[in-house]
Every structure is written in structure tokens, then in C-alpha cells.
Amino acid sequence: MRQPTLTSTASFQALENHAATAEDWEMRELFAADPKRFARMSLEAAGLFLDYSKNRLDGRTLELLAALARERGVEARRDAMFAGERINNTENRAVLHTALRAPRDNKLVVDGQDVNLEVHAVLDRVRSFTDAVRSGEWLGHTGKPITDIVNIGIGGSDLGPKMVVLALRHYAHPRLRMHFVSNVDGHDMDAALSQVDPETTLFIVASKTFTTAETMMNAQTARSWFLGHAPEEALARHFVAVSTNTEAIKAFGIDPANMFPFWDWVGGRYSVWSAIGLSVALAVGFGYFSDFLAGAHEMDQHFASAPIEQNMPMILALVGFWNREFLDAHSVTIAPYHQDLNRFPAYLQQLDMESNGKCVTRDGDPVDTPTCPAIWGEPGTNGQHAYFQLLHQGTDLTPIDFIAALRPAHEMEHHHTALLANCFAQSEAFMKGKTIDEVRADLQAQGLSAEEVERLAPHKTFPGNRPSNTILMERLTPSTLGALIALYEHKTFVQGVIWNVNSFDQWGVELGKVLAKKIEAELAGEPQPANHDSSTNGLIARAKAAF
Ligand code: F6P
């Protein structure tokens, strides 16, 4: 059945009317009027705490947003996803990344396939393989233990594993050095190969499709490099693959015994929980990898059962939706106040923007409101000294998600105190701002002349009233990291349902891939008729002249 357009729904219209009255709201005043605002607008789940009180909304806004979620059928679509229905309607696939982290005794049969049994059969293989490599029992072809792992993949086959390995570096095996090669730019491969020894290096070729051009080229290059140092029969000790495509793996020359499979119902950007997480399991060990899955599962259970008003992913999604639609927020910045979450904003870029960066609905009609905002960010406090100027005083409103752990994984307590102080101070500053009268008072107190006060005051004024969320966890552990990723996955899902886009396809990446193949042949081959626009022809000609 066709979904009504978003703007035609009663709950959206009610929100529009409400937004007109909310236009002049000042968060300072909302806080002053309700001493319980923080308690009312914060919640806990799966080891995470979310404070969403520093947003320009009130209880009525939340009621209306929850009504919208109900009218758009978010709960029913969520249940359909967990049950394995083919909610990815343009690829006719189920969406079951949640099944990858369900415990062994779960039962889920989809199309006659016992999903849980298959997931745990692969996890058992991941366990024995990673145990063997980590213990030193798995030897390279000259009898030496593995010291370096090179994961070759791109997009979801790179961003997730790389981000998680970095985030959990405190749990990592001391002998194993992890490398990630994703870019077709040879500098990426060159940097990795220059650091490793073919006798002690294990390559993981990670690709859901095993057809992605960058990964295939990188895998071939790694294979040739390796065979320059070792005989063909040594490949089996040094190359493993993670994919859904057994035939392509065989054709590449990897022994199917060294293949870790997964399934077409796992989207690339949702695949770190599958065997695509092999590099994570190698780095931190299967025990911590299981904790990572368990943390995500805890968030899944919360998402699947909590009422909308107390459901953390739903709330995060609804607040984000409000900011996007009614406060005209074109982008959202992610500010992890944790250096080990350095790659988390990049990971969320793919998760959110590849999922919801869509301009047609599931039914193929144009959407009638803006959809996914741009996602970007850097760890705090670094971002404060780079782009926070724009967030505080720029002309656009950019909501911020602050993410922090209350306890560090190091013993330099004073560093951690300073870090948290900055995190909390920034959210306070964004909310409160500083009025021109407050600035004048400060400048007068400093003894400036009346003329100087008036000259400087506009520059030192902060508009404030800028929304943010703060997500806290006790520590960054495998389990809280799992929950954090699952939180954002489900947030993305909920927003996709409200916009009625298919969050699980990514047709928008195809056109560039096709054109790149054509231009690659043109760059590599004999002169050909100039058959592009004048800009593209000109660029190709310049590149060819430089070869
Ligand atoms: O081009 C986009 C994309 O398909 C992503 O969705 C995916 O994560 C990435 O490429 C890599 O795909 P694969 O794992 O099949 O190599």
C-alpha cells in the first residue's frame, strides 16, 4: 500500500502548527521554566545515557513527534525488520543485521533458513580461526606466527572494522598490528606493504560482493606482491576472504576453506557484526568481539520493546527529525570527546548518508520534505580549535551530538577531567550563548571605554539556543561501543521510516562507478574521440599528457 506523503499526514501538520509557535523559544527560558527538564528529557539504555534536554522542544513537541512516528508505522516496520520481512523493497531483501548479534538460543527462521544457526556456525569458525592466529598456532608459510593483518575492503567492509579496532585498541593483542587498505589510490597499499613482512602477514579480503573495483584491484596487488616473495601454495596461509560470493572467491584463488561467509540480508554499512568484523575479532579476541555483539543486542532489545517516548533510538531520531524539518538544520556534527572514537564520525557518515541520502520514497515518488542532513565531525577537543567557531557564531544552525565516556582507559585523570569539562562547557555554551548585554557588562568590568565596548560587543556575542544531545557511557568498552553503534543504526532506521525512504539500498553510488570504468579505459588506452563534456574531456587530456 502506498504511504501518504509526509506533509499530508495529520501528525506532520500538527507539528508544523506547533513549530510556528515554537519559533521564538529560547532554551534558556525552557530550562528556567522547568527545573526537572534534565530529568524529563534524559534516559538510559544498554549502558548508555542520553541527555536531549538541550534541544529547542518541549513536552508537547515530543508528544507530537511520537504521534508522527506512530502514524508513519515506525513500530510495525521495526517489527517487520526484526522478523526478517523483505523491507529492502528495491532489492527484495530482508534486513537482518540484528540477527548477527542475537544469542545462540534465539530462533529465527526466514524463508526456511535457520538464520540463527547459520550465524552461529560462522561465528564458531571465526572463533577457531582467530584463536589460532592469536595464539600463534596459525603459522605463515615459513613457520612464523602472524604479526600483521591487512584488511582490504572499502565502505562498510572497511569503515566499521577500522573504526572499531581503533576504538577498542586497549583490548587489542600486543603482537598483532592491524592495517586497513581501502583506497584505490596506490599510496594506501604502498603505505601498508612498506610496513609488513610477507612471511608474517595475513591479508583479509573483505567484500560483500567481491566485485568492488577498488577492493579487487587492491587484493590483486597484494596477491602479486605476496607471490613476489612466496610460492603459490603459500597463499592459503596468508589470504582469507569475507564475502557472500563464493564463486568469485574461488576465481580469485582463495581456498573456500579460508572463506568466511555472510548473507545478502546484511547491508554493507551494517556488516561489522558479521564476519566482516574478522579483523576486530583478530585484534581484540573472540571474547571481546562477543561482548561487542552482546552490547548491540541489548540495544536491539531496548529498541524492539520500549515505548516510543522512552526508546533511545526513537528519541534520537525524532529530535533529529525535528531539527532537520523545523529548524532547517542542513547538517549534524558528531563530536566524540574520546580520541579512540576518532573514526566514529566517518563511520556514521556512511551509515546515515548512504542509508537516508535519498530523494524518492519507497514508492518511487519524490519526497516532499528534506531528508538526511550531512554528517561530519572530529573528536573534541580538537574540533573546538577548528570549526566550532562556525557552530557558535555562524549563520547556520548545526545540531551537535556530544559523546563521552565518564572514565578513561588511562591513568591521567587530570586529562580526563579537562576533557569532560570541555565537553559539558561546549553544550552549555551552545545552549546559553552570551547576550550582548552580558558581553557589554563584561567589557565594562574590564575597564574598556564606552566606545570600545560598543565596537567589540557584537563580535563577542553568542546567539546560543543551538541544540545538542549528549551521550554518556561509563567507559568505552566492547559492549558500550556495540550499543552506541546499534543506537545510531536504529536512529537512522526510524528517520528512514518517517521519510518513507528505503534506508537499505544505495543506488546513488552506481553512476560514478560506471563512468569511472569508462574513463579508466580511456586514460589507459590509445587516444579516443573526446566523447564527454568539455570539462571532462579537458581533464582527461591533461592527465594523459602527464603520463
Ligand atoms: O559503493 C557502495 C558500497 O556498495 C557500500 O554500500 C559498501 O559498503 C561498499 O560499497 C563495499 O562493498 P563490498 O563490501 O561489496 O566490497
Side-chain angles (χ1 to χ4, degrees):
M1 203 183 64
R2 262 184 139 68
Q3 273 258 29
T5 59
L6 180 54
T7 54
S8 71
T9 58
S11 46
F12 187 88
Q13 288 167 5
L15 271 163
E16 264 183 325
N17 294 335
H18 174 74
T21 66
E23 228 165 71
D24 301 327
W25 286 357
E26 287 287 336
M27 275 190 268
R28 278 182 184 225
E29 288 163 17
L30 296 175
F31 271 97
D34 179 5
K36 296 215 170 100
R37 187 173 169 89
F38 172 70
R40 275 192 229 287
M41 295 189 184
S42 54
L43 66 144
E44 244 164 306
L48 302 183
F49 175 82
L50 168 67
D51 169 19
Y52 59 99
S53 61
K54 290 192 182 101
N55 279 285
R56 263 196 242 170
L57 41 74
D58 70 357
R60 178 73 186 139
T61 322
L62 291 166
E63 273 170 37
L64 293 172
L65 286 166
L68 175 74
R70 292 201 167 90
E71 189 172 354
R72 296 302 271 177
V74 168
E75 291 152 303
R77 186 78 60 75
R78 170 198 65 192
D79 297 346
M81 174 174 74
F82 277 97
E85 285 178 33
R86 292 172 188 259
I87 62 167
N88 175 352
N89 66 331
T90 60
E91 295 177 310
N92 193 27
R93 288 177 184 163
V95 174
L96 276 174
H97 47 280
T98 52
L100 298 168
R101 51 230 192 183
R104 199 176 282 272
D105 56 6
N106 241 50
K107 185 88 188 141
L108 181 64
V109 178
V110 175
D111 294 338
Q113 182 193 14
D114 187 334
V115 170
N116 210 49
L117 200 72
E118 293 195 21
V119 165
H120 280 272
V122 175
L123 283 176
D124 288 343
R125 288 191 50 215
V126 168
R127 179 204 297 259
S128 13
F129 177 70
T130 53
D131 282 356
V133 173
R134 289 168 58 84
S135 67
E137 183 197 321
W138 178 284
L139 299 173
H141 71 286
T142 56
K144 296 183 183 166
I146 299 298
T147 56
D148 291 85
I149 315 252
V150 181
N151 187 84
I152 300 174
I154 197 165
S157 302
D158 168 75
L159 286 163
K162 188 172 175 177
M163 180 273 285
V164 174
V165 164
L166 176 62
L168 299 182
R169 69 187 176 85
H170 278 97
Y171 297 82
H173 193 293
R175 190 188 71 239
L176 295 175
R177 284 184 297 267
M178 311 300 297
H179 312 263
F180 292 85
V181 176
S182 54
N183 201 331
V184 75
D185 180 349
H187 296 105
D188 203 8
M189 179 61 80
D190 181 57
L193 294 183
S194 67
Q195 295 174 54
V196 302
D197 176 347
E199 289 183 61
T200 57
T201 298
L202 177 75
F203 291 93
I204 302 173
V205 186
S207 174
K208 176 176 170 180
T209 54
F210 228 76
T211 58
T212 304
E214 293 90 333
T215 302
M216 292 302 102
M217 187 177 279
N218 278 326
Q220 289 294 355
T221 301
R223 186 176 191 272
S224 310
W225 174 85
F226 180 76
L227 290 179
H229 299 89
E232 182 112 17
E233 57 276 16
L235 277 173
R237 308 299 303 167
H238 294 269
F239 276 78
V240 299
V242 183
S243 186
T244 56
N245 188 346
T246 315
E247 288 315 306
I249 279 172
K250 280 197 221 150
F252 180 85
I254 292 181
D255 185 346
N258 286 351
M259 169 184 172
F260 296 85
F262 64 113
W263 306 271
D264 70 359
W265 40 257
V266 183
R269 52 195 172 275
Y270 300 87
S271 65
V272 67
W273 324 99
S274 72
I276 288 289
L278 190 65
S279 51
V280 176
L282 280 163
V284 303
F286 191 79
Y288 287 131
F289 186 65
S290 303
D291 292 349
F292 172 63
L293 300 184
H297 179 65
E298 207 182 327
M299 184 56 78
D300 292 343
Q301 286 180 304
H302 165 77
F303 177 56
S305 59
I308 294 178
E309 293 77 1
Q310 282 129 46
N311 191 308
M312 195 181 280
M314 299 256 195
I315 293 290
L316 199 59
L318 293 173
V319 169
F321 175 82
W322 168 257
N323 290 339
R324 176 72 180 118
E325 303 297 327
F326 301 108
L327 301 188
D328 201 25
H330 292 250
S331 77
V332 171
T333 189
I334 307 293
Y337 276 64
H338 199 307
Q339 190 60 30
D340 295 344
L341 287 173
N342 201 354
R343 295 294 295 164
F344 192 61
Y347 174 81
L348 286 191
Q349 284 182 326
Q350 187 197 15
L351 174 62
D352 216 340
M353 296 201 272
E354 203 175 65
S355 296
N356 288 340
K358 313 276 163 75
C359 61
V360 294
T361 66
R362 288 166 59 83
D363 305 314
D365 301 321
V367 294
D368 57 340
T369 68
T371 59
C372 189
I375 308 290
W376 55 286
E378 276 290 320
T381 57
N382 297 3
Q384 292 175 203
H385 299 273
Y387 56 80
F388 270 42
Q389 163 64 40
L390 175 145
L391 302 184
H392 282 292
Q393 291 187 317
T395 48
D396 280 359
L397 176 135
T398 307
I400 302 138
D401 282 359
F402 293 99
I403 303 170
L406 294 176
R407 291 161 185 263
H410 57 71
E411 283 169 6
M412 296 166 281
E413 281 294 338
H414 58 299
H415 279 259
H416 200 63
T417 309
L419 178 77
L420 287 182
N422 273 278
C423 177
F424 302 159
Q426 288 295 333
S427 82
E428 185 178 26
F430 283 119
M431 186 276 282
K432 273 194 177 155
K434 192 165 180 181
T435 65
I436 196 151
D437 288 339
E438 289 167 345
V439 174
R440 283 188 183 119
D442 265 8
L443 296 176
Q444 280 157 5
Q446 287 165 29
L448 269 68
S449 69
E451 196 186 329
E452 271 299 272
V453 168
E454 285 315 305
R455 192 175 71 80
L456 288 177
H459 300 281
K460 295 192 168 227
T461 298
F462 289 69
N465 213 19
R466 303 201 163 196
S468 69
N469 297 305
T470 301
I471 298 169
L472 299 177
M473 62 199 92
E474 183 74 8
R475 290 177 194 277
L476 182 62
T477 64
S479 156
T480 54
L481 179 64
L484 181 70
I485 301 171
L487 167 65
Y488 276 96
E489 284 179 348
H490 297 320
K491 180 221 88 157
T492 301
F493 170 83
V494 171
Q495 291 185 339
V497 178
I498 293 177
W499 285 316
N500 191 29
V501 296
N502 180 2
S503 301
F504 301 103
D505 62 15
Q506 56 284 319
W507 301 109
V509 301
E510 295 303 324
L511 178 60
K513 289 184 190 174
V514 173
L515 294 181
K517 273 220 162 337
K518 191 169 159 212
I519 295 179
E520 192 178 332
E522 289 165 3
L523 282 174
E526 292 302 305
Q528 291 184 8
N531 52 6
H532 304 270
D533 56 89
S534 65
S535 160
T536 312
N537 285 332
L539 296 170
I540 293 172
R542 282 188 83 90
K544 288 188 85 149
F547 286 167

PDB file of all heavy atoms in Angstrom, residues 174-187:
ATOM      1  N   PRO A 174      48.805  -7.699  21.822  1.00  0.00           N
ATOM      2  CA  PRO A 174      50.028  -6.889  21.688  1.00  0.00           C
ATOM      3  C   PRO A 174      50.880  -7.270  20.480  1.00  0.00           C
ATOM      4  O   PRO A 174      51.642  -6.443  19.978  1.00  0.00           O
ATOM      5  CB  PRO A 174      50.784  -7.171  22.991  1.00  0.00           C
ATOM      6  CG  PRO A 174      50.189  -8.422  23.535  1.00  0.00           C
ATOM      7  CD  PRO A 174      48.788  -8.532  23.012  1.00  0.00           C
ATOM      8  N   ARG A 175      50.755  -8.531  19.995  1.00  0.00           N
ATOM      9  CA  ARG A 175      51.629  -8.927  18.880  1.00  0.00           C
ATOM     10  C   ARG A 175      51.084  -8.493  17.521  1.00  0.00           C
ATOM     11  O   ARG A 175      51.841  -8.291  16.567  1.00  0.00           O
ATOM     12  CB  ARG A 175      51.804 -10.452  18.889  1.00  0.00           C
ATOM     13  CG  ARG A 175      52.882 -10.932  17.920  1.00  0.00           C
ATOM     14  CD  ARG A 175      52.933 -12.454  17.773  1.00  0.00           C
ATOM     15  NE  ARG A 175      51.803 -12.993  17.048  1.00  0.00           N
ATOM     16  CZ  ARG A 175      50.943 -13.887  17.540  1.00  0.00           C
ATOM     17  NH1 ARG A 175      51.073 -14.324  18.780  1.00  0.00           N
ATOM     18  NH2 ARG A 175      49.936 -14.330  16.818  1.00  0.00           N
ATOM     19  N   LEU A 176      49.764  -8.354  17.433  1.00  0.00           N
ATOM     20  CA  LEU A 176      49.164  -8.162  16.113  1.00  0.00           C
ATOM     21  C   LEU A 176      49.026  -6.690  15.757  1.00  0.00           C
ATOM     22  O   LEU A 176      48.378  -5.928  16.471  1.00  0.00           O
ATOM     23  CB  LEU A 176      47.788  -8.832  16.067  1.00  0.00           C
ATOM     24  CG  LEU A 176      47.800 -10.348  16.217  1.00  0.00           C
ATOM     25  CD1 LEU A 176      46.378 -10.885  16.269  1.00  0.00           C
ATOM     26  CD2 LEU A 176      48.572 -11.005  15.083  1.00  0.00           C
ATOM     27  N   ARG A 177      49.634  -6.317  14.649  1.00  0.00           N
ATOM     28  CA  ARG A 177      49.476  -4.948  14.154  1.00  0.00           C
ATOM     29  C   ARG A 177      48.412  -4.976  13.057  1.00  0.00           C
ATOM     30  O   ARG A 177      48.466  -5.818  12.163  1.00  0.00           O
ATOM     31  CB  ARG A 177      50.795  -4.424  13.575  1.00  0.00           C
ATOM     32  CG  ARG A 177      51.820  -4.036  14.641  1.00  0.00           C
ATOM     33  CD  ARG A 177      53.069  -3.440  13.991  1.00  0.00           C
ATOM     34  NE  ARG A 177      53.728  -4.436  13.149  1.00  0.00           N
ATOM     35  CZ  ARG A 177      54.723  -5.232  13.576  1.00  0.00           C
ATOM     36  NH1 ARG A 177      55.180  -5.123  14.814  1.00  0.00           N
ATOM     37  NH2 ARG A 177      55.267  -6.128  12.762  1.00  0.00           N
ATOM     38  N   MET A 178      47.482  -4.030  13.155  1.00  0.00           N
ATOM     39  CA  MET A 178      46.367  -4.030  12.197  1.00  0.00           C
ATOM     40  C   MET A 178      46.570  -2.922  11.163  1.00  0.00           C
ATOM     41  O   MET A 178      46.930  -1.796  11.516  1.00  0.00           O
ATOM     42  CB  MET A 178      45.033  -3.774  12.927  1.00  0.00           C
ATOM     43  CG  MET A 178      44.792  -4.631  14.143  1.00  0.00           C
ATOM     44  SD  MET A 178      44.757  -6.396  13.809  1.00  0.00           S
ATOM     45  CE  MET A 178      43.359  -6.522  12.721  1.00  0.00           C
ATOM     46  N   HIS A 179      46.310  -3.252   9.922  1.00  0.00           N
ATOM     47  CA  HIS A 179      46.398  -2.267   8.827  1.00  0.00           C
ATOM     48  C   HIS A 179      45.107  -2.341   8.021  1.00  0.00           C
ATOM     49  O   HIS A 179      44.536  -3.423   7.860  1.00  0.00           O
ATOM     50  CB  HIS A 179      47.570  -2.592   7.899  1.00  0.00           C
ATOM     51  CG  HIS A 179      48.859  -2.862   8.624  1.00  0.00           C
ATOM     52  ND1 HIS A 179      49.823  -1.911   8.816  1.00  0.00           N
ATOM     53  CD2 HIS A 179      49.334  -3.991   9.221  1.00  0.00           C
ATOM     54  CE1 HIS A 179      50.848  -2.430   9.475  1.00  0.00           C
ATOM     55  NE2 HIS A 179      50.576  -3.693   9.742  1.00  0.00           N
ATOM     56  N   PHE A 180      44.696  -1.207   7.505  1.00  0.00           N
ATOM     57  CA  PHE A 180      43.471  -1.170   6.691  1.00  0.00           C
ATOM     58  C   PHE A 180      43.778  -0.479   5.378  1.00  0.00           C
ATOM     59  O   PHE A 180      44.246   0.661   5.385  1.00  0.00           O
ATOM     60  CB  PHE A 180      42.353  -0.441   7.444  1.00  0.00           C
ATOM     61  CG  PHE A 180      41.883  -1.215   8.638  1.00  0.00           C
ATOM     62  CD1 PHE A 180      42.533  -1.105   9.866  1.00  0.00           C
ATOM     63  CD2 PHE A 180      40.819  -2.103   8.523  1.00  0.00           C
ATOM     64  CE1 PHE A 180      42.128  -1.853  10.953  1.00  0.00           C
ATOM     65  CE2 PHE A 180      40.404  -2.852   9.605  1.00  0.00           C
ATOM     66  CZ  PHE A 180      41.062  -2.727  10.826  1.00  0.00           C
ATOM     67  N   VAL A 181      43.529  -1.179   4.306  1.00  0.00           N
ATOM     68  CA  VAL A 181      43.742  -0.581   2.980  1.00  0.00           C
ATOM     69  C   VAL A 181      42.394  -0.520   2.290  1.00  0.00           C
ATOM     70  O   VAL A 181      41.731  -1.550   2.121  1.00  0.00           O
ATOM     71  CB  VAL A 181      44.732  -1.417   2.138  1.00  0.00           C
ATOM     72  CG1 VAL A 181      44.853  -0.823   0.735  1.00  0.00           C
ATOM     73  CG2 VAL A 181      46.093  -1.476   2.814  1.00  0.00           C
ATOM     74  N   SER A 182      41.984   0.679   1.912  1.00  0.00           N
ATOM     75  CA  SER A 182      40.669   0.809   1.280  1.00  0.00           C
ATOM     76  C   SER A 182      40.757   1.521  -0.065  1.00  0.00           C
ATOM     77  O   SER A 182      40.091   1.159  -1.018  1.00  0.00           O
ATOM     78  CB  SER A 182      39.719   1.581   2.205  1.00  0.00           C
ATOM     79  OG  SER A 182      40.299   2.820   2.577  1.00  0.00           O
ATOM     80  N   ASN A 183      41.606   2.527  -0.146  1.00  0.00           N
ATOM     81  CA  ASN A 183      41.577   3.430  -1.293  1.00  0.00           C
ATOM     82  C   ASN A 183      42.231   2.796  -2.510  1.00  0.00           C
ATOM     83  O   ASN A 183      43.258   2.124  -2.395  1.00  0.00           O
ATOM     84  CB  ASN A 183      42.329   4.715  -0.917  1.00  0.00           C
ATOM     85  CG  ASN A 183      41.940   5.882  -1.784  1.00  0.00           C
ATOM     86  OD1 ASN A 183      41.557   5.714  -2.928  1.00  0.00           O
ATOM     87  ND2 ASN A 183      42.045   7.077  -1.233  1.00  0.00           N
ATOM     88  N   VAL A 184      41.663   3.056  -3.683  1.00  0.00           N
ATOM     89  CA  VAL A 184      42.299   2.579  -4.917  1.00  0.00           C
ATOM     90  C   VAL A 184      43.596   3.357  -5.149  1.00  0.00           C
ATOM     91  O   VAL A 184      44.463   2.914  -5.900  1.00  0.00           O
ATOM     92  CB  VAL A 184      41.317   2.718  -6.109  1.00  0.00           C
ATOM     93  CG1 VAL A 184      41.180   4.166  -6.558  1.00  0.00           C
ATOM     94  CG2 VAL A 184      41.740   1.833  -7.272  1.00  0.00           C
ATOM     95  N   ASP A 185      43.725   4.475  -4.495  1.00  0.00           N
ATOM     96  CA  ASP A 185      44.974   5.236  -4.528  1.00  0.00           C
ATOM     97  C   ASP A 185      46.111   4.324  -4.033  1.00  0.00           C
ATOM     98  O   ASP A 185      46.104   3.877  -2.885  1.00  0.00           O
ATOM     99  CB  ASP A 185      44.836   6.470  -3.615  1.00  0.00           C
ATOM    100  CG  ASP A 185      46.096   7.323  -3.593  1.00  0.00           C
ATOM    101  OD1 ASP A 185      47.137   6.879  -4.100  1.00  0.00           O
ATOM    102  OD2 ASP A 185      46.020   8.440  -3.041  1.00  0.00           O
ATOM    103  N   GLY A 186      47.068   4.076  -4.918  1.00  0.00           N
ATOM    104  CA  GLY A 186      48.160   3.162  -4.587  1.00  0.00           C
ATOM    105  C   GLY A 186      48.953   3.577  -3.352  1.00  0.00           C
ATOM    106  O   GLY A 186      49.630   2.748  -2.735  1.00  0.00           O
ATOM    107  N   HIS A 187      48.859   4.843  -2.956  1.00  0.00           N
ATOM    108  CA  HIS A 187      49.598   5.265  -1.758  1.00  0.00           C
ATOM    109  C   HIS A 187      49.110   4.513  -0.528  1.00  0.00           C
ATOM    110  O   HIS A 187      49.871   4.287   0.413  1.00  0.00           O
ATOM    111  CB  HIS A 187      49.437   6.781  -1.530  1.00  0.00           C
ATOM    112  CG  HIS A 187      50.021   7.614  -2.632  1.00  0.00           C
ATOM    113  ND1 HIS A 187      49.252   8.247  -3.573  1.00  0.00           N
ATOM    114  CD2 HIS A 187      51.304   7.897  -2.944  1.00  0.00           C
ATOM    115  CE1 HIS A 187      50.036   8.908  -4.419  1.00  0.00           C
ATOM    116  NE2 HIS A 187      51.285   8.705  -4.063  1.00  0.00           N
TER     117      HIS A 187
END
